[in-house]
Amino acid sequence: MQALQGQRQHSLYSEKSPAAIRDTTAERPPRSETQRRIVRETTSLKLMTENSPSRQAWVILVIGVLSQMAATVAITGPAFLIPYMHTDLGYTLTQAGTVAAAPSFGLILTLIAWGAFADKFGERLAMTLGIALTALASGLAVAVVGSPVWMVIIIAASGAAAASVNSASGRVVMGWFPRHRRGLAMGIRQMSQPLGTSVAALSVPPIASSGGFTGYLWFVVIVTGVMSVICLGLVRDPPRAEVAPTVVHTATDDAGPGSASARGEVKAPSATNNPYRMDSFLWRIHAVSALLVIPQFAFSTYGLIWLIANQHISPGIAGGIVAASQIVGAIGRMIVGGLSDRLGSRVGLMRIVAVAAVVLVAAIALISITPMPVVAAVVFILASTVSVADNGLAFASVAEAAGPQWSGKAMGTQNTGQFVMSAILGPGFGTLITVFGYPLSFAFVAVAPLLSLGIIPKQDIDRIA
């Protein structure tokens, strides 16, 4: 490598007259359009890696956040319409609950497929097509509001289309930001889901009270339709890292045999290699995220009832505590992501987050023994914040370790695992509370982040930069 670099330097800086240089250039055959494109994209990639994020990168991040918020409104909105489906449309509670769960079911089925689509055809097309199909499905649902069966089918299709944003928006953000700003960027991007849920919670009930389910559907059509036009006009696919030689700057004990150089650096793989077969890093991050989503889901789903039934806090105040925890948690994702950039390690900070989760969930279990409303409110907000702090770290790690040709599929797999685990935990944690009560149930939950400490890799892998 040093010899090759020396040859390059000699050829570039050899002492030739301008005329000789012009003659040499004239003798070379003209570059093809493919070669010129590779040179342009290699230069762009080098600038992105070495310099601060460009204005385009920040524009992409804003669009990624807004498009994910729009998709989240489409996915979570029906859950806030269960009372209207039951009273206004005559749905049974079972039918209304099935409609509310349908978008998430569609989402789970297509996350990996949309990730593969983005890997092959680019993020701009995936985001534009997916969010436009979400608008189309929501518009079609207006015509079948009176049929629970057709509503389930079409609303599930809407969620399946919205899944494109989950995979592609994260992928495009990772592609435009250099490594030393990706943690912050993904932390900000991960804020979009709690913010989208908050928007849905604030906007859907008043819209439904005046316009019913149809009013909500038209609201989704407008929001997602506008975002599809914005994605088409402003999203740009990042320069593909495979056009330039790349080197992984951090090594890992999980690297496959023969992957490390004499200096301990891990050489970048071919873009066509399957990163899941190269080492165990991605599998371990997926497993860690599945374990760390357990306390996150326990707090987001059963936190309100715990504050009311176990700590005897009034419903209004309890609702305010839960809302505050969502806002603080969203900000916490951004702060932790930025901190990972400063520390230069995602997995090291992920280990600290897991330790904090063990401590705070165990504290919730102890507080559950006897009512301590003020202490419970403070600890609940802290525990909820820590329970979501790993999300941006995990997604950044997955995208970096997967590389430019696999990041969409890997992020889709990451999302799928978390949603499947959440679906299992719904009835599972409820059963635990019924059988063992809150103290023991939260003690069981504390075991999950404890187990994750033995799975978190020791060092990062980056196959993008």
Side-chain angles (χ1 to χ4, degrees):
M1 178 61 72
Q2 292 177 347
L4 180 60
Q5 290 176 346
Q7 292 174 4
R8 288 179 177 174
Q9 290 175 353
H10 179 73
S11 63
L12 287 173
Y13 297 102
S14 58
E15 297 180 357
K16 290 186 178 181
S17 66
I21 294 175
R22 285 195 298 270
D23 291 340
T24 304
T25 305
E27 291 173 1
R28 288 199 301 263
R31 289 175 174 171
S32 67
E33 178 58 33
T34 301
Q35 289 174 322
R36 287 194 294 269
R37 178 181 61 81
I38 290 175
V39 170
R40 287 196 303 268
E41 293 190 350
T42 301
T43 303
S44 298
L45 189 68
K46 184 178 180 181
L47 290 173
M48 285 169 47
T49 304
E50 296 177 352
N51 298 337
S52 298
S54 64
R55 179 182 298 179
Q56 178 69 34
W58 293 110
V59 170
I60 292 294
L61 178 58
V62 171
I63 296 173
V65 170
L66 293 177
S67 59
Q68 183 64 70
M69 287 177 65
T72 301
V73 170
I75 293 165
T76 62
F80 298 101
L81 291 166
I82 291 178
Y84 302 97
M85 286 187 274
H86 183 53
T87 58
D88 296 355
L89 301 178
Y91 289 13
T92 66
L93 286 177
T94 301
Q95 291 172 334
T98 304
V99 171
S104 296
F105 182 71
L107 184 84
I108 290 171
L109 292 179
T110 58
L111 277 167
I112 297 176
W114 274 116
F117 184 93
D119 286 338
K120 186 171 184 179
F121 298 105
E123 299 88 342
R124 178 172 179 255
L125 181 59
M127 292 173 68
T128 302
L129 181 60
I131 205 73
L133 289 174
T134 304
L136 177 62
S138 300
L140 292 174
V142 173
V144 295
V145 166
S147 171
V149 174
W150 278 108
M151 278 294 291
V152 168
I153 295 172
I154 296 179
I155 292 296
S158 173
S164 66
V165 180
N166 286 64
S167 298
S169 66
R171 191 187 193 283
V172 74
V173 168
M174 290 295 293
W176 274 106
F177 278 81
R179 175 175 171 79
H180 65 282
R181 287 293 181 270
R182 287 186 200 140
L184 174 64
M186 282 302 292
I188 294 173
R189 187 263 179 191
Q190 289 300 103
M191 293 172 64
S192 56
Q193 289 174 318
L195 292 177
T197 302
S198 300
V199 170
L202 292 173
S203 62
V204 171
I207 289 173
S209 64
S210 60
F213 205 128
T214 301
Y216 159 75
L217 291 172
W218 283 121
F219 173 67
V220 173
V221 169
I222 294 171
V223 171
T224 53
V226 169
M227 283 310 307
S228 68
V229 174
I230 292 175
C231 289
L232 178 63
L234 297 179
V235 172
R236 295 290 180 270
D237 293 341
R240 299 300 178 197
E242 65 267 21
V243 302
T246 57
V247 176
V248 178
H249 299 290
T250 54
T252 177
D253 61 328
D254 305 317
S259 61
S261 69
R263 292 181 298 173
E265 293 179 343
V266 180
K267 295 182 179 179
S270 169
T272 58
N273 287 351
N274 184 343
Y276 285 96
R277 296 178 180 176
M278 299 180 66
D279 50 61
S280 63
F281 186 90
L282 285 171
W283 293 112
R284 293 173 74 167
I285 294 296
H286 292 330
V288 168
S289 296
L291 289 170
L292 293 181
V293 83
I294 293 176
Q296 176 184 337
F297 183 83
F299 294 136
S300 63
T301 306
Y302 293 93
L304 181 64
I305 188 64
W306 176 75
L307 290 169
I308 296 172
N310 183 265
Q311 294 298 307
H312 308 307
I313 298 174
S314 67
I317 295 177
I321 294 171
V322 172
S325 71
Q326 291 291 312
I327 295 171
V328 175
I331 297 172
R333 295 184 186 194
M334 177 181 66
I335 293 174
V336 170
L339 187 58
S340 75
D341 292 332
R342 289 183 174 273
L343 296 177
S345 174
R346 319 275 185 230
V347 295
L349 193 54
M350 197 180 300
R351 187 172 290 106
I352 295 174
V353 169
V355 171
V358 173
V359 173
L360 288 169
V361 176
I364 292 289
L366 290 174
I367 293 171
S368 300
I369 296 174
T370 183
M372 292 184 284
V374 176
V375 176
V378 174
V379 175
F380 178 81
I381 291 174
L382 292 174
S384 298
T385 301
V386 167
S387 73
V388 301
D390 67 289
N391 284 9
L393 300 175
F395 275 94
S397 294
V398 165
E400 289 174 340
Q405 287 296 314
W406 280 80
S407 60
K409 292 183 283 289
M411 294 175 79
T413 302
Q414 172 80 2
N415 259 318
T416 301
Q418 290 187 316
F419 278 110
V420 169
M421 180 62 76
S422 297
I424 295 172
L425 286 172
F429 192 65
T431 302
L432 276 178
I433 294 172
T434 302
V435 175
F436 298 105
Y438 285 104
L440 277 178
S441 297
F442 278 113
F444 290 141
V445 170
V447 174
L450 183 63
L451 291 175
S452 74
L453 290 172
I455 305 175
I456 298 173
K458 292 183 179 179
Q459 289 182 293
D460 300 285
I461 290 181
D462 185 3
R463 296 187 176 105
I464 293 180

